[in-house]
Amino acid sequence: MKDFKLYAITGEQFHPGKDMLDVMEQAILGGVDIIQLRDKSGDIEAIRKKAVALRQLTAKYGVTYIVNDYIDIALEVDADGVHLGQGDVPLAEARRRMGKKIIGISTHAIEEAIQAERDGADYIGVGPIYPTKTKEDVVDPVTVSYVKEVASTIKIPFVAIGGIKLHNVDEVIKAGATRICAVSEIVGSDDIQRTCREFLSKLEKARAIHGIDH
């Protein structure tokens, strides 16, 4: 998969009254390089319509597009991949269905990260780093100590996620993260493009220090 730095999730509960496509386009214009459609409660037909619209938007800008959970919809709209949680379809089954498309796996402990890497995940989510209201299923924060574990153990790309804001992202980066996902801080921002650029500035400075140029 293409390298990435900044990952955004639709998080419609954080931008009530704003059109999802407008919000995500602003994120893309701000420099986000992966977009994920995440809708745990919507009607399946409504999700399918969103999936089609987001595919068109991301294709327009050449941005990687991931669908959360719904493998059938991801395949139907020709998304670039799917993101799965620990309780979702086993990775081996997802790989059989998705072929060479991207498969991301959420992890909350180093054992899960190692297993996901061993099973052939293309990237993993590492979190939640801080308390977050994004997910309905409550998972205790893993803190930046987990980021340090993953950074020193795992070879595939990982993205830190969960409660990450502009005011605390430096701590996450210092722990070893070179890719981050922010939800409410991006999609709930009054100036989405500026917020994305500020995240990217911090990430790019860290990558330069560590000699990561891709």
Side-chain angles (χ1 to χ4, degrees):
M1 64 182 292
K2 292 189 294 185
D3 189 42
F4 64 96
K5 303 183 194 77
L6 190 58
Y7 192 131
I9 296 176
T10 48
E12 291 175 80
Q13 68 270 39
F14 298 113
H15 53 88
K18 292 184 179 180
D19 180 75
M20 181 194 70
L21 288 179
D22 290 343
V23 168
M24 301 322 287
E25 184 168 33
Q26 288 300 305
I28 292 169
L29 292 171
V32 161
D33 36 24
I34 293 192
I35 294 288
Q36 182 190 128
L37 170 61
R38 187 177 191 276
D39 187 336
K40 293 285 195 178
S41 57
D43 169 79
I44 198 70
E45 280 307 313
I47 294 171
R48 186 172 279 111
K49 287 179 182 177
K50 291 177 191 177
V52 170
L54 272 176
R55 172 71 289 180
Q56 292 169 347
L57 178 69
T58 51
K60 174 183 174 182
Y61 289 101
V63 170
T64 300
Y65 175 42
I66 303 291
V67 172
N68 186 280
D69 286 358
Y70 296 101
I71 293 176
D72 289 344
I73 291 177
L75 290 170
E76 183 181 326
V77 304
D78 195 27
D80 297 300
V82 69
H83 187 91
L84 303 171
Q86 287 293 314
D88 294 326
V89 175
L91 204 157
E93 169 67 9
R95 178 60 69 202
R96 185 185 68 77
R97 296 173 64 186
M98 295 294 294
K100 294 182 178 180
K101 287 180 180 286
I102 298 164
I103 300 178
I105 302 289
S106 294
T107 71
H108 318 297
I110 195 65
E111 297 79 14
E112 295 173 351
I114 291 168
Q115 189 66 50
E117 182 176 50
R118 184 181 297 139
D119 290 347
D122 294 291
Y123 75 91
I124 58 170
V126 170
I129 309 301
Y130 304 107
T132 175
K133 295 179 181 177
T134 300
K135 288 198 170 187
E136 297 78 15
D137 48 327
V138 179
V139 177
D140 290 335
V142 296
T143 76
V144 293
S145 63
Y146 181 39
V147 175
K148 291 176 183 176
E149 275 190 290
V150 170
S152 64
T153 307
I154 300 299
K155 301 292 185 254
I156 60 173
F158 74 90
V159 55
I161 183 172
I164 297 175
K165 314 287 185 186
L166 285 170
H167 71 78
N168 63 25
V169 69
D170 289 336
E171 182 184 27
V172 183
I173 292 170
K174 187 177 178 182
T178 58
R179 304 170 186 86
I180 67 112
C181 178
V183 188
S184 61
E185 187 80 337
I186 290 177
V187 301
S189 173
D190 290 332
D191 190 335
I192 293 171
Q193 289 192 45
R194 185 185 68 191
T195 298
C196 291
R197 286 194 291 268
E198 288 183 23
F199 272 125
L200 284 167
S201 175
K202 291 173 180 288
L203 285 164
E204 285 161 2
K205 284 176 186 173
R207 282 174 165 232
I209 290 169
H210 293 296
I212 300 171
D213 58 2
H214 58 277

